Amino acid sequence: MHRARQHAATQTRERRHQLAHEAARLMAEGGIRDYHQAKLKAATRLGIHDDASLPRNTEIEDALREYQRLFAGADHGAQLRQRREAALRAMDFLHAFSPRLCGPVLEGTADANSPVQLQVHSDDADAVQRYLDEHGIPAESRTRRLRLDRERSLDAPVWVFSAEDLTFDIAVLPYDGLRQPPLSAIDEKPMRRASAAQLRELLADSEIEGYLGRR
């Protein structure tokens, strides 16, 4: 009986591994952005339908990093740096709103279709729109539900615009959001974010790593 349980657990781990890597491949090659959608599509492709075998979002994210490292190589690194440098310029432009970088560009999983996601902070819901209008930047208005904690959610205004041949996605949070980031949709923990100073440090570190890697 013990050996049978061990065998079943091993099979479940193997299926989770397979599903995580297939979901990562679908996200990398098919442009799927939603982790849940990717894992369900992977399960259908592989014919695996038991819930215990479904990988966590963090497992898919790790598999996506590995896939990009193995198959995207230098192109992925160049695309990522382009987006991080553009994010820094956008953060300097939006400095009055205490911007923070978040999402795939910060996490290192961005691809050629990933927008640069920023969160800015203002208790005046219309201030960011006025600021963009004053600088002649046409932006599309959207709304995104963000979870502030296990019990509270916020319907945040989002402004989407194009610059430098990239898409920028700017979510507007109240100033309280500086102290308490919303929860990540990936692991339900406070979202990882970076200030302009932290992003500059990240860019400097990656440049040093790139230099050492070429030696």
Side-chain angles (χ1 to χ4, degrees):
M1 182 68 73
H2 178 66
R3 184 171 297 175
R5 284 200 300 267
Q6 280 188 322
H7 179 67
T10 299
Q11 282 190 319
T12 298
R13 282 195 300 271
E14 290 175 351
R15 287 194 293 264
R16 287 171 69 95
H17 181 80
Q18 285 180 304
L19 282 173
H21 282 265
E22 177 63 12
R25 186 189 68 80
L26 290 170
M27 294 184 77
E29 297 181 1
I32 297 175
R33 291 283 171 268
D34 183 82
Y35 282 77
H36 185 66
Q37 180 187 353
K39 76 174 75 175
L40 293 182
K41 190 168 184 177
T44 299
R45 289 265 183 105
L46 298 179
I48 299 173
H49 302 295
D50 61 304
D51 290 344
S53 297
L54 291 178
R56 294 188 296 272
N57 291 341
T58 51
E59 293 176 272
I60 298 174
E61 188 177 48
D62 289 341
L64 181 57
R65 286 195 183 93
E66 182 178 350
Y67 184 95
Q68 291 171 330
R69 179 178 59 81
L70 291 174
F71 298 106
D75 288 343
H76 175 252
Q79 289 172 356
L80 185 59
R81 184 167 189 88
Q82 176 197 18
R83 280 161 173 74
R84 286 175 171 174
E85 290 176 344
L88 186 57
R89 288 189 287 274
M91 293 170 82
D92 287 340
F93 171 67
L94 294 164
H95 71 277
F97 300 101
S98 303
R100 297 292 185 268
L101 176 64
C102 59
V105 173
L106 176 60
E107 298 296 343
T109 57
D111 58 29
N113 300 308
S114 297
V116 176
Q117 291 185 313
L118 300 177
Q119 292 177 358
V120 298
H121 302 83
S122 176
D123 289 330
D124 180 351
D126 299 322
V128 174
Q129 179 186 11
R130 291 196 302 270
Y131 187 76
L132 295 175
D133 288 344
E134 287 167 4
H135 289 82
I137 299 175
E140 177 185 346
S141 173
R142 299 180 185 175
T143 302
R144 177 172 302 131
R145 173 151 291 194
L146 297 172
R147 293 182 63 197
L148 301 179
D149 53 39
R150 301 294 174 136
E151 299 176 353
R152 296 181 303 144
S153 296
L154 168 72
D155 290 325
V158 176
W159 297 98
V160 178
F161 60 87
S162 296
E164 302 184 28
D165 294 323
L166 298 173
T167 299
F168 290 81
D169 177 302
I170 315 296
V172 185
L173 279 65
Y175 265 113
D176 281 350
L178 272 173
R179 295 194 303 271
Q180 183 182 8
L183 300 183
S184 167
I186 296 175
D187 59 9
E188 296 187 345
K189 296 179 181 178
M191 191 178 293
R192 181 173 173 239
R193 306 190 302 180
S195 65
Q198 290 167 328
L199 180 55
R200 284 190 181 91
E201 185 176 345
L202 181 62
L203 283 165
D205 289 345
S206 63
E207 187 171 349
I208 292 171
E209 288 174 5
Y211 171 75
L212 292 175
R214 292 191 297 270
R215 292 183 63 181

